[in-house]
């Protein structure tokens, strides 16, 4: 590529591009980020990358963001991907493995068939769909996505880039972006810098000798020094000044661009002179094109001008002749020579022309049946107050994208408000609430708060519940929990004996606040008040919400009462249609968690799934996060460990898009607990460490402290630091009696405390905790608690030397978990039974139990515990069969240690010696990230998923050698 580019002074940058393409050809995808000031050559370097990729036979998808279309969702991606999609129908995409076609249709117009879409896209769904699409396109040849001028990209486009950096496509996909180094893009650049396989290129000004090579021979020698001085090594400025070299060094004011970048006065003057020399029809067409968009369609530019088609064609030829615009590969579509050229034309057109042209653009698009989302940009810039058609276009576009592109939706709701008459307070209140929701989802908490306050002032008395509740929620996220509670309590007090429905909803919200702050007694009191008010209101949806939430709370302490409330709520919900539940999604949330606590795991997953479907269909953005996360606990408790981890992975990804750190904390904490139960200790600890960082941005809340301490104790216990585990657990639980942890949530606490007592030889202490576990299990009647209590009893009796009692307890634990239908915990207890049988000298029975446990744990892909069972079998002289990947999507079986490289084998040996990643990195003088990469490769080659399994593989290889 180097010799053919003609790029002057960019050898190192061209080498970086070559390296990115070589990596794509050799092993898969990656990221390339090019940054620099306006005109420095970013677009030229991207163009060279695209040309070289096409020469290699790769599929190139090129798009760019535009300065004046920053409210259009996914605009840069549509520009890049739409041409490829126009050549593919849905059937062919499905054959390529692209299944999320309806979600893709919410982004890309080419996939819409003209009928109304049933799917309202959400951000995580959009990201997964595009990732799947890129993998499908890369099935036969590598794909290179080129996105230029990212500093002007809409939020949805930027989020998609960041999401693909965090979780890249699996196939051969290179994503290359270019942008100015603006403050707004720093978070994205930090993410790209951390992405594996990412490369960064920063373009600096050319040196004097290199810049001089760009000056064409037609520039008189006497003007060259001033031109080069004015250009300052910027290639575009050299090119522009060469068109009017006399402008260099002249008087005038430089133009200041956003981000603090400056266009020299001579360059601005050169552009003005170039445009001033054009005939009027060409200038008019270019003004229309600047309004139409970038790239622009000729027919739309002509409509904006306005010009006839024949006049537009003649004007276009004149613009092409002087290189102000350039053709694209798509017929009838053109781009400006440089964004600064478009900017100059747009500014020169004048406000009056722009208003009229945007109105003409909206009218022309409507005449062609173009959807509201493509028209809203022009309507927002041209419609006048009272324009009902314009209001409807803006609202329709905002509703379509409230979940997938909330920042754009918020802008369109704001534009609709400007058009709405002051005499329509209820309608304005409704739009303000919708705008507040979109702003909240986009992370603009202060603006959301202001919009909701304005909505509350306009809302009729019967409509105050939602604004008050949402305001309180925003105040919680802004770190003002006291203000939130005061607002809810004051609104409730104002009602007195007023509308019981509103009273119930406000008491319900206070109950949620109490739950999060660990105030069980206050939560129950508010729950009972809400229940009384809901019964008086006679509203099925409200009563179901209260019953479900109160039932979820009582499930921790009074199983019979909880079951009655939850059954009643579930019956009501079954009679309500989805549209009615769209405004009462807390009901499904509480039903799901109540069912989880009562061990009705399939019911729980069903409630959460229905909630997610409703939230997506109705675009209720703040619940999309919740319903993606919550099924994970029910799944892992029911033994579907890998499925639970997949849900948790999605939850973490989705939570990174939410403005509240509470959601990210919760998703990380939840994934940490699942990883630990699956035996992936290092990953569990990494997630908890990140959760600990995130919690610093969360207002103090008792529940956060309780669950963080609980999980930290579990990790310490797994590491064998029992004293520290007990200390962490007691601090989280409010003292030695664990008063802050509900009895029915103590199952893992019992194991931690019993193991610690046994470790220090405190058999009476272990006995006390075992007895508490047995009392709670008997009182609740829950199989899961019985299983944990019996497992603790087995460990205690084994430590006492009563192997018969230990064996009986282990079998009782297996039976309890089998009755519950949780194969994971049943297998763990079966392995303990094998250990008890071995201690009793019943070798054959022990082998049978351990083999059954090992096989089940393999099928569940729980490698750590499977490896422990395999070790126990080897101590009994039995070998396990070679194990490859298991579970859904299992790949081929593993290779042996011979499949590892020398470095990988070295790392595997250090893993066997129980060194941490950090210790391995220090020993081998590597970075921790490099060690992690090697470990991932080792896992794949050996067909395992944990460090323990790597250690077992080393042991087994040594036994074979012996």
């Amino acid at each position: 590529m180097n010799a053919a580019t003609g790029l002057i002074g960019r050898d190192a940058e061209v080498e970086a591009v070559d390296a990115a393409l070589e990596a794509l050809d050799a092993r898969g995808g990656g990221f390339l980020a090019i940054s620099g000031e306006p005109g420095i050559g970013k677009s030229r370097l991207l163009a060279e990358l695209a040309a070289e990729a096409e020469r290699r036979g790769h599929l190139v998808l090129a798009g760019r963001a535009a300065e004046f279309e920053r409210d259009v969702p996914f605009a840069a991606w549509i520009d890049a991907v739409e041409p490829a999609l126009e050549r593919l129908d849905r059937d062919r995409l499905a054959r390529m493995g692209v299944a999320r076609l309806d979600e893709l249709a919410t982004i890309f117009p080419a996939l819409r068939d003209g009928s109304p879409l049933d799917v309202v896209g959400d951000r995580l769904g959009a990201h997964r769909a595009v990732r799947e699409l890129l993998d499908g396109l890369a099935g036969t040849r590598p794909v290179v996505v080129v996105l230029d001028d990212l500093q002007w990209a809409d939020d949805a486009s930027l989020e998609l880039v960041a999401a693909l950096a965090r979780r890249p496509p699996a196939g051969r996909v290179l994503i290359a972006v270019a942008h100015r180094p603006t403050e707004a893009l720093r978070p994205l650049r930090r993410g790209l810098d951390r992405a594996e396989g990412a490369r960064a290129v920063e373009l600096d000004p050319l040196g004097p000798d290199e810049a001089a090579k760009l000056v064409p021979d037609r520039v008189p020698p006497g003007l060259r020094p001033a031109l080069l001085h004015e250009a300052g090594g910027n290639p575009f400025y050299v090119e522009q000044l060469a068109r009017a070299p006399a402008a260099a060094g002249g008087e005038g004011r430089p133009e200041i661009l956003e981000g603090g970048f400056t266009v020299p006065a001579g360059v601005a003057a050169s552009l003005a002179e170039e445009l001033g020399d054009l005939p009027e029809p060409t200038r008019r067409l270019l003004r229309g094109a600047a309004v139409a968009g970038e790239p622009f369609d000729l027919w739309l530019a002509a409509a904006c001008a306005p010009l006839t088609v024949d006049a537009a064609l003649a004007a276009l030829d004149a613009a092409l002749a002087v290189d102000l615009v350039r053709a694209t590969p798509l017929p009838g579509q053109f781009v400006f020579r440089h964004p600064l050229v478009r900017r100059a034309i747009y500014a020169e057109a004048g406000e009056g022309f722009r208003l009229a042209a945007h109105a003409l653009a909206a009218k022309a698009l409507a005449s062609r049946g173009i959807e509201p989302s493509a028209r809203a940009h022009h309507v927002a810039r041209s419609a006048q107050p009272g324009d009902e058609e314009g209001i409807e276009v803006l609202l329709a576009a905002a509703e379509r994208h409230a979940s997938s592109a909330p920042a754009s939706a918020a802008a369109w709701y704001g534009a609709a408000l400007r058009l709405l008459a002051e005499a329509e307070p209820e309608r304005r209140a409704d739009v303000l609430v919708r705008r507040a929701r979109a702003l909240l989802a986009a992370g603009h908490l202060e603006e959301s708060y202001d919009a909701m306050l304005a909505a509350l002032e306009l809302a009729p008395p019967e409509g105050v519940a939602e604004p008050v509740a949402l305001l309180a929620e925003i105040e919680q996220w802004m770190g003002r929990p006291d203000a939130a509670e005061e607002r809810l309590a004051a609104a409730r007090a104002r009602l007195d004996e007023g509308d019981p429905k509103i009273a119930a909803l406000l008491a319900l919200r206070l109950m949620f606040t109490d739950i999060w702050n660990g105030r069980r007694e206050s939560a129950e009191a508010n729950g009972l008040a809400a229940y009384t008010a809901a019964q008086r209101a006679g509203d099925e949806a409200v009563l179901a919400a209260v019953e479900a939430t109160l039932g979820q709370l009582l499930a921790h302490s009074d199983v019979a009462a909880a079951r009655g409330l939850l059954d009643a709520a579930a019956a009501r919900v079954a009679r309500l249609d989805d549209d009615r539940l769209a405004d009462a999604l807390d009901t499904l949330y509480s039903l799901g968690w109540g069912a989880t606590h009562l061990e009705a795991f399939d019911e729980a997953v069903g409630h959460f799934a229905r909630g997610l479907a409703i939230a997506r269909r109705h675009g209720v953005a703040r619940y999309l996060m919740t319903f993606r996360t919550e099924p994970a606990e029910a799944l892992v408790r029911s033994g579907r460990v890998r499925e639970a981890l997949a849900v948790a992975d999605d939850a973490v990804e989705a939570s990174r898009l939410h403005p509240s750190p509470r959601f990210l904390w919760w998703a990380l904490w939840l994934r940490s607990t699942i990883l630990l139960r699956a035996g992936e200790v290092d990953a569990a600890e990494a997630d908890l460490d990140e959760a600990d960082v995130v919690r610093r941005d969360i207002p103090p809340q008792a529940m956060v402290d309780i669950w963080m301490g609980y999980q930290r104790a579990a990790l310490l216990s797994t590491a064998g630091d029992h004293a520290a585990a007990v200390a962490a657990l007691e601090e989280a639980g409010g003292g030695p009696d664990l008063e802050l942890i509900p009895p029915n949530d103590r199952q893992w606490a019992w194991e931690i405390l019993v193991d610690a007592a046994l470790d220090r030889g405190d058999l009476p202490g272990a006995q006390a905790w075992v007895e508490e576990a047995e009392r709670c299990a008997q009182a609740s009647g829950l199989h899961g608690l019985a299983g944990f209590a019996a497992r603790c009893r087995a460990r205690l009796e084994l430590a006492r030397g009563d192997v018969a009692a230990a064996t009986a307890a282990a079998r009782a634990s297996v039976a309890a978990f089998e009755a519950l239908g949780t194969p994971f915990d049943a297998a763990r207890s079966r392995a303990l039974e094998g250990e008890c049988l071995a201690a009793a000298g019943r070798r054959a029975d022990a082998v049978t139990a351990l083999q059954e446990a090992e096989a089940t744990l393999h099928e569940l892909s729980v490698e750590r515990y499977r490896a422990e069972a395999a070790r126990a079998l080897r101590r009994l002289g039995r070998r396990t069969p070679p194990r490859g990947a298991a579970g859904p999507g299992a790949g081929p079986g593993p290779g042996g240690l011979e499949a590892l490289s020398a470095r990988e084998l070295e790392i595997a040996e250090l893993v066997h010696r129980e060194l941490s990643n950090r210790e391995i990195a220090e020993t081998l003088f590597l970075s921790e990230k490099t060690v992690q990469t090697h470990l991932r490769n080792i896992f794949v080659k050996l067909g395992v998923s944990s460090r323990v399994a790597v250690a077992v593989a080393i042991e087994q290889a040594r036994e074979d050698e012996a």
Side-chain angles (χ1 to χ4, degrees), residues 496-714:
D496 293 326
E497 296 301 319
D499 189 333
K501 176 181 175 180
I502 298 177
L505 291 172
L506 293 174
L508 180 62
R509 185 54 54 186
L510 278 167
M511 184 184 178
F512 274 116
T513 304
D514 287 332
I515 290 172
W516 264 102
N517 288 287
R519 299 189 294 261
R520 290 186 58 82
E521 290 185 7
S522 178
E524 287 187 18
N526 279 316
L528 291 172
Y531 186 57
T532 301
Q535 286 180 315
R536 285 195 294 116
D539 186 301
E540 285 277 288
V542 174
L543 185 53
V546 175
E547 288 171 333
T549 308
L550 189 54
Q552 174 207 350
L553 178 65
L554 294 178
H556 295 287
S557 55
D558 188 340
V559 169
R563 185 168 282 121
L565 287 165
L566 291 166
D567 286 348
R572 294 184 204 283
V573 164
R575 296 193 294 268
L576 295 171
D577 61 31
D578 288 355
D579 289 343
R580 186 76 195 284
L581 281 173
D583 294 324
L585 287 172
D586 281 336
T587 310
L588 291 168
Y589 169 88
S590 296
L591 277 174
W593 272 108
T596 300
H597 294 314
L598 296 185
E599 301 178 342
F601 302 124
D602 288 343
E603 288 181 29
V605 172
H607 290 311
F608 291 137
R610 186 180 179 190
L612 180 60
I614 295 172
R616 296 190 71 233
R617 190 175 305 117
H618 290 265
V620 189
R622 71 185 191 277
Y623 284 99
L624 289 169
M625 174 66 241
T626 298
F627 287 118
R628 283 192 184 280
T629 308
E630 311 311 78
E633 181 72 11
L635 289 167
V636 76
R637 289 199 192 187
S638 64
R640 295 149 70 180
V641 180
R642 289 295 144 186
E643 194 175 343
L645 278 175
V647 168
D649 285 343
D650 281 348
V652 171
E653 184 69 15
S655 67
R656 296 190 190 281
L657 302 171
H658 199 283
S660 171
R662 189 178 71 186
F663 282 106
L664 179 56
W665 166 79
W666 173 241
L668 287 165
W669 181 90
L670 192 61
R671 189 169 68 177
S672 176
T673 67
I674 297 168
L675 286 165
L676 182 58
R677 285 180 239 173
E680 298 184 25
V681 180
D682 287 347
E685 188 164 11
D687 271 356
L688 193 66
D689 288 343
E690 185 180 353
D692 207 16
V693 173
V694 173
R695 74 186 291 204
R696 299 169 194 169
D697 296 325
I698 302 174
Q701 288 180 326
M703 295 300 290
V704 174
D705 296 336
I706 290 169
W707 298 122
M708 283 296 294
Y710 203 158
Q711 177 66 358
R712 185 65 69 186

Side-chain angles (χ1 to χ4, degrees), residues 318-629:
L320 288 168
V322 294
D323 195 32
L324 278 167
V325 298
R326 293 167 179 171
T328 73
L330 295 179
Q333 195 172 90
F334 303 87
V335 295
F336 286 91
R337 182 176 76 228
H338 192 276
L340 289 176
V341 173
R342 184 197 180 195
R343 191 175 198 278
I345 292 170
Y346 192 83
E348 180 264 346
E351 184 63 22
F353 179 91
R354 291 195 294 268
L355 281 171
H358 279 297
L360 289 168
K363 183 177 179 181
L365 290 169
S367 70
R368 294 201 170 195
I370 304 297
E371 64 171 4
S373 299
R375 294 150 53 196
H377 163 71
H378 296 290
V379 171
R381 284 157 178 76
S382 61
Q384 301 301 308
D387 182 342
E388 191 60 38
E389 182 180 352
I391 293 169
E392 292 304 321
V393 168
L394 291 166
L395 293 179
E399 288 298 300
R400 166 59 59 198
H401 292 284
S403 297
S404 60
S408 296
W412 289 332
Y413 282 130
L417 282 167
R418 290 192 295 273
L419 304 183
L420 275 171
E422 295 290 340
E424 298 183 86
E426 291 188 23
R427 194 177 179 197
R428 290 182 64 82
D430 176 66
V431 176
L432 279 164
V433 168
R434 295 173 187 274
R435 183 167 189 264
R437 288 175 178 168
L439 288 165
L440 183 61
H444 305 302
L445 298 187
E446 294 285 355
E447 290 179 67
S448 176
Y449 183 76
D450 291 342
M452 194 56 69
L453 276 178
L456 187 59
E457 293 175 2
L458 295 174
E462 66 274 11
V464 301
E466 182 180 9
V468 168
L470 193 52
L471 269 172
E473 192 173 346
I474 296 169
E475 286 169 330
Q476 288 268 11
W477 292 344
M478 294 171 71
R480 307 173 191 169
D482 293 340
E485 290 186 51
E486 289 173 9
R487 182 178 300 282
L488 290 166
R492 183 179 168 196
R494 284 198 306 271
L495 290 169
D496 293 326
E497 296 301 319
D499 189 333
K501 176 181 175 180
I502 298 177
L505 291 172
L506 293 174
L508 180 62
R509 185 54 54 186
L510 278 167
M511 184 184 178
F512 274 116
T513 304
D514 287 332
I515 290 172
W516 264 102
N517 288 287
R519 299 189 294 261
R520 290 186 58 82
E521 290 185 7
S522 178
E524 287 187 18
N526 279 316
L528 291 172
Y531 186 57
T532 301
Q535 286 180 315
R536 285 195 294 116
D539 186 301
E540 285 277 288
V542 174
L543 185 53
V546 175
E547 288 171 333
T549 308
L550 189 54
Q552 174 207 350
L553 178 65
L554 294 178
H556 295 287
S557 55
D558 188 340
V559 169
R563 185 168 282 121
L565 287 165
L566 291 166
D567 286 348
R572 294 184 204 283
V573 164
R575 296 193 294 268
L576 295 171
D577 61 31
D578 288 355
D579 289 343
R580 186 76 195 284
L581 281 173
D583 294 324
L585 287 172
D586 281 336
T587 310
L588 291 168
Y589 169 88
S590 296
L591 277 174
W593 272 108
T596 300
H597 294 314
L598 296 185
E599 301 178 342
F601 302 124
D602 288 343
E603 288 181 29
V605 172
H607 290 311
F608 291 137
R610 186 180 179 190
L612 180 60
I614 295 172
R616 296 190 71 233
R617 190 175 305 117
H618 290 265
V620 189
R622 71 185 191 277
Y623 284 99
L624 289 169
M625 174 66 241
T626 298
F627 287 118
R628 283 192 184 280
T629 308

